[in-house]
Amino acid sequence: MSDLTRMTATKLAGLIKGGDVSAVEVATAHLDRIEAVDPQVHAFLHVDREGALAAAAEVDAGDKSSPLAGVPIAVKDVMATKGVPTTAASKILEGWRPPYDATIVERLRAAGTVMLGKTNMDEFAMGSSTEYSAYGPTNNPWDLGRIPGGSGGGSAASLAAYEAPLAIGTDTGGSIRQPGAVTGTVGAKPTYGGTSRYGLIAFSSSLDTPGPCARNVADAALLHSVIAGHDPRDSTSIAQPVPDVVAAAKRGSEGDLTGVKLGLVKEFAGDGSEPGVLAAFRESLDALVKLGAEVVEVSCPHFQYALPAYYLIAPSECSSNLARFDGVRYGLRTGDDGNRSLEEVMSLTREAGFGPEVKRRIILGTYALSSGYYDAYYGQAQKVRTLITRDFESAFEQVDVLVSPTTPFVAFPFGSRTSDPYQMYLADLFTIPTNLYGGPAISVPCGLSEGLPVGFQVMAPTMADDRMYRVAAALESAVGTFTPPAL
Amino acid sequence: MAAISREEVAHLARLSRLAVTEEELDRFAGQLDVILQSVARIGDVAADDIPPTSHSVPLTNVYRDDVVQPSLTQAEALSGAPDQADGRFRVPRILDEEA
């Protein structure tokens, strides 16, 4: 294997800038690696060799001033990429080539990154294992018989398999962080509104947040700084300066957390984490205390209702957002035999194009929004969302960040949670509260349990993304990074 | 007692424009029942006087100046259409023959 695929994005950028290696060589090394290992991993739904080499050649011929010029990147297939297939891992969008770029993709291109291709995911980002992808699951590079997390399992697995040094994910209930945790990689969910949703195929608009995935905290921060910031094309984009996450990660890596207060959520304690996950988490907590941090127990009494609130709010928004897939303007159309009505064709198209989890959520959301149930379900969930936000605000009056395991269990074997959808939902128990609140959170590898990676989650106040990077980088400096067995 | 019946699921599927099969109805009804029973405890929270949060960013309408900006051409907008005619999206009939 070429050494180039083992390097961090920061290192690659430096080598390219210094003329030690060309962007084309770096792209070629990663494309060759994908060709060699992706038949086993299946992290990619589409590899754009031609586009990647052209973009790399352009960097070699021109401007290398951007901090990520020439660095390859994998993009979750939920982001619109002009002329490059974009399916959201659904049959309903098979073969669709968007006529425009998402804002984040536009910024990645402007920064001179080299897009290798589009990564696998649960269909429309609904799931925690990639088992709901219409194109087959992604296999975890740590153990090919286990899930890589979801929905962004392809992005996380592409990093762990050394197919890409950076990737883009999206996090609605944990879809960046949980895959990061179970693949031993770093995944950050920025403050909601801190990264643009323009061109992101919508699942739950009040929660969807694009963010960076990387193999270490400094790379994640660098990617964060390139993609974040106000976008007038997204009406919920925050018009404020992006916190200096790169400086925060650098400061954290110096390993001094003197005076930093870490909040341990009392209500998370009894929530069925595997013993190995808890052990790795507690050891990491001790490591942070050795760096000078102080641990304070805080109470967030409404966190226990976060999962129910999420599974009413997200399906409700999805049932509305996915109404656009009607077989008229793009994507699949089925059953148009010249005799059937528009409504019949629509129903047949959606039946053929959507997979089971998407259908379940559309039906659940339609139920929660229907008259007679609206107040008891959707309305009540929105009120509970207020109470969860207040829990966060009051906790952040006492501590700087909240910490927890990212997910209660390590990568599970395929098929073990698909028959009972609610068992799958439990994977997001610790990640969902942050989405309802809107603040930033990051998952950083903190140890192994039975040979599989465990993630440590740091949650910070809204627009204090820098704070989570500092703590995550400090932890990384203490516990190191984790390398999967060779493929 | 079931939180949701097979008939209700069939009705919701119709509202959602999903031509689900009989087999799917059986499966979804059971699964949705489990999910609904699990999320129903949201009703235990006393929240009558709590304002709802629809969104974590406290924004109202965001306006821009009313000036023409670059957008997709007609050909680009139609590029992914399953069917088109005369520069427009072509759809199956929307009215009955007699109407």
Side-chain angles (χ1 to χ4, degrees):
Chain A
M1 184 211 308
S2 159
D3 285 334
L4 293 172
T5 61
R6 293 264 163 177
M7 288 175 189
T8 65
T10 309
K11 170 98 177 159
L12 285 171
L15 291 176
I16 293 166
K17 207 166 302 225
D20 299 307
V21 64
S22 72
V24 168
E25 286 173 273
V26 173
T28 305
H30 286 89
L31 290 164
D32 290 350
R33 173 74 180 166
I34 292 170
E35 211 170 281
V37 302
D38 213 52
Q40 296 173 68
V41 178
H42 192 230
F44 286 86
L45 290 178
H46 178 80
V47 178
D48 186 16
R49 180 175 268 270
E50 205 178 305
L53 291 174
E58 210 170 298
V59 170
D60 285 335
D63 181 22
K64 300 184 189 70
S65 60
S66 139
L68 286 178
V71 178
I73 188 161
V75 175
K76 190 176 179 184
D77 203 32
V78 73
M79 310 289 310
T81 45
K82 189 172 183 175
V84 177
T86 301
T87 67
S90 179
K91 289 285 179 197
I92 212 160
L93 279 177
E94 189 164 17
W96 184 53
R97 289 174 189 261
Y100 71 107
D101 273 332
T103 293
I104 283 190
V105 173
E106 219 172 56
R107 288 185 184 176
L108 289 173
R109 291 195 205 276
T113 65
V114 171
M115 190 178 77
L116 298 167
K118 307 294 292 291
T119 56
N120 197 16
M121 53 187 282
D122 288 289
E123 184 178 2
F124 287 107
M126 299 174 197
S128 306
S129 71
T130 71
E131 287 167 292
Y132 295 138
S133 166
Y135 303 100
T138 296
N139 303 316
N140 192 325
W142 285 81
D143 176 344
L144 297 172
R146 290 174 187 266
I147 61 107
S151 65
S155 283
S158 75
L159 302 171
Y162 297 94
E163 295 171 298
L166 294 174
I168 293 292
T170 61
D171 194 311
T172 304
S175 286
I176 288 176
R177 292 163 285 158
Q178 183 257 0
V182 302
T183 58
T185 58
V186 176
K189 172 217 171 299
T191 295
Y192 175 85
T195 42
S196 170
R197 290 186 295 109
Y198 179 79
L200 157 61
I201 297 171
F203 155 23
S204 182
S205 303
S206 81
L207 304 167
D208 295 341
T209 313
C213 312
R215 281 194 297 264
N216 67 53
V217 176
D219 280 2
L222 194 53
L223 179 54
H224 187 129
S225 72
V226 165
I227 60 172
H230 182 240
D231 177 14
R233 291 182 296 190
D234 172 359
S235 61
T236 59
S237 171
I238 297 174
Q240 282 176 36
V242 182
D244 193 345
V245 293
V246 174
K250 190 164 187 301
R251 184 176 174 205
S253 69
E254 287 156 15
D256 183 7
L257 290 180
T258 307
V260 175
K261 286 185 182 168
L262 313 175
L264 208 50
V265 180
K266 201 166 70 182
E267 286 77 9
F268 275 166
D271 261 331
S273 288
E274 288 172 353
V277 169
L278 273 183
F281 173 71
R282 291 207 180 106
E283 276 172 36
S284 303
L285 215 48
D286 291 344
L288 292 173
V289 169
K290 285 203 185 89
L291 300 180
E294 185 189 336
V295 177
V296 180
E297 190 172 82
V298 294
S299 176
C300 296
H302 300 95
F303 277 21
Q304 59 172 308
Y305 299 104
L307 201 67
Y310 177 87
Y311 278 101
L312 290 164
I313 291 170
S316 295
E317 294 187 9
C318 116
S319 73
S320 166
N321 272 325
L322 270 59
R324 72 187 50 152
F325 298 101
D326 55 9
V328 172
R329 288 151 300 165
Y330 37 65
L332 184 73
R333 182 185 290 183
T334 298
D336 185 9
D337 60 1
N339 295 313
R340 290 197 178 96
S341 71
L342 178 66
E343 192 179 315
E344 287 169 312
V345 171
M346 242 179 228
S347 302
L348 290 169
T349 297
R350 290 162 61 81
E351 168 64 13
F354 290 140
E357 179 64 11
V358 174
K359 289 178 194 170
R360 274 193 292 271
R361 294 207 197 184
I362 289 173
I363 293 172
L364 183 62
T366 305
Y367 177 77
L369 290 175
S370 54
S371 75
Y373 297 107
Y374 182 96
D375 289 340
Y377 287 115
Y378 184 66
Q380 176 76 359
Q382 285 192 314
K383 291 177 176 180
V384 170
R385 189 172 179 181
T386 306
L387 292 168
I388 289 166
T389 301
R390 289 180 185 174
D391 281 358
F392 270 106
E393 286 166 351
S394 113
F396 288 134
E397 282 170 16
Q398 306 161 63
V399 298
D400 298 301
V401 294
L402 296 176
V403 295
S404 75
T406 305
T407 179
F409 25 83
V410 294
F412 46 87
F414 287 109
S416 57
R417 287 175 190 267
T418 37
S419 59
D420 178 353
Y422 201 77
Q423 284 302 310
M424 186 76 83
Y425 297 174
L426 292 174
D428 296 335
L429 197 60
F430 301 143
T431 46
I432 276 176
T434 291
N435 295 85
L436 294 170
Y437 159 58
I442 189 168
S443 176
V444 57
C446 73
L448 300 177
S449 167
E450 293 169 31
L452 294 167
V454 176
F456 186 100
Q457 179 177 228
V458 185
M459 297 165 266
T462 300
M463 288 310 276
D465 303 49
D466 47 346
R467 230 184 262 183
M468 72 180 182
Y469 278 103
R470 182 181 170 200
V471 175
L475 180 60
E476 186 182 71
S477 75
V479 303
T481 53
F482 299 85
T483 305
L487 281 167
Chain B
M1 200 190 98
I4 189 163
S5 67
R6 193 179 184 280
E7 289 65 39
E8 278 178 291
V9 174
H11 176 62
L12 292 164
R14 268 194 305 279
L15 291 177
S16 315
R17 303 290 181 266
L18 289 168
V20 292
T21 63
E22 293 296 311
E23 186 273 326
E24 276 179 311
L25 272 183
D26 291 336
R27 193 154 35 91
F28 289 165
Q31 290 170 333
L32 289 167
D33 190 51
V34 171
I35 296 168
L36 275 174
Q37 306 240 18
S38 308
V39 300
R41 62 194 179 84
I42 194 131
D44 300 346
V45 185
D48 282 353
D49 53 348
I50 304 296
T53 296
S54 62
H55 228 273
S56 64
V57 182
L59 289 170
T60 47
N61 285 336
V62 177
Y63 297 106
R64 65 167 172 83
D65 292 337
D66 187 15
V67 247
V68 177
Q69 301 199 359
S71 62
L72 300 181
T73 63
Q74 187 180 35
E76 284 171 334
L78 286 166
S79 63
D83 200 1
Q84 51 176 299
D86 307 326
R88 296 171 195 157
F89 297 107
R90 194 201 147 271
V91 297
R93 68 182 164 81
I94 54 170
L95 300 170
D96 289 332
E97 302 283 340
E98 295 79 28

